[in-house]
Amino acid sequence: EVQLLQSGGGLVQPGGSQRLSCAASGFTFGIYAMSWVRQAPGKGLEWVSAISGNGDYTYYADSVKGRFTISRDNSKDTLYLQMNSLRADDTAVYFCAKKCSFACHRFDPWGQGSLVTVSS
Amino acid sequence: QSVLTQPASVSGSPGQSITISCTGTSSDVGGHDYVSWYQQHPGKAPKLMIYDVTNRPSGVSSRFSGSKSGNTASLTISGLQAEDEADYYCKSFSSNTIYVFGSGTTVTVL
């Protein structure tokens, strides 16, 4: 069974940093692109970032570019999101998601979500 | 950020059919056949319901179907059931922003 188990998150002060992790199992992690999506409280989904299977290519939403870094360790089957210079409007539940292979764009499945609260 | 336009809410009685629209531009919905739909129950992670406009993943009920015309994609739920009550989001590949989500639609079963 394909599973994504997230860890990290919690309360962080404005300007602070936080790292999220997403541990994958049930599939060959290194051949699939992965993505992060967030959802502010009571709001809709917002795509945040994506990374290719080998980690060579990364993509970011304008709202996080220059502050967030997506990475992966294929030897550990784990995806990461390093979030720096956090702001109040970064407060959200962050989901990791497995993307299908080359030239397709569906996200399936998703992790359970990690709440990040940016507040003093 | 730019989002695809969805109706805020749609409702229907059990057994009825409902359709949720998702309107974008020629840079996203109209320009690519990479529209997908996700169902989200409160406090849960989203679940893929439709991909590549019309395709249904294994395990998803055949009551869910997708289509597209021009810059607008649609999700139809036929034979509405109580368990279909949830939030639904469309998502499209975008030439400008990689991916863009819809604003979300709350489906209520009356």
Side-chain angles (χ1 to χ4, degrees), chain A residues 13-97:
Chain A
Q13 292 192 336
S17 298
Q18 184 83 251
R19 189 177 83 157
L20 303 180
S21 299
C22 171
S25 61
F27 65 101
T28 306
F29 181 69
I31 66 173
Y32 288 95
M34 299 290 293
S35 200
W36 288 98
V37 176
R38 69 183 180 183
Q39 186 171 36
K43 302 297 184 182
L45 300 173
E46 179 189 11
W47 175 75
V48 172
S49 184
I51 186 168
S52 61
N54 60 11
D56 283 353
Y57 300 96
T58 57
Y59 310 88
Y60 299 93
D62 286 344
S63 57
V64 306
K65 200 172 295 183
R67 300 187 300 122
F68 289 14
T69 301
I70 189 172
S71 63
R72 63 193 298 159
D73 185 338
N74 288 346
S75 69
K76 296 182 178 179
D77 291 348
T78 302
L79 173 74
Y80 303 100
L81 185 67
Q82 177 68 42
M83 303 179 291
N84 299 330
S85 302
L86 282 162
R87 313 183 302 222
D89 63 357
D90 293 318
T91 294
V93 175
Y94 287 75
F95 297 99
C96 62

Side-chain angles (χ1 to χ4, degrees), chain B residues 11-32:
Chain B
S11 62
S13 299
Q16 285 187 328
S17 292
I18 62 169
T19 297
I20 303 168
S21 61
C22 169
T23 301
T25 69
S26 58
S27 295
D28 38 65
V29 175
H32 309 279

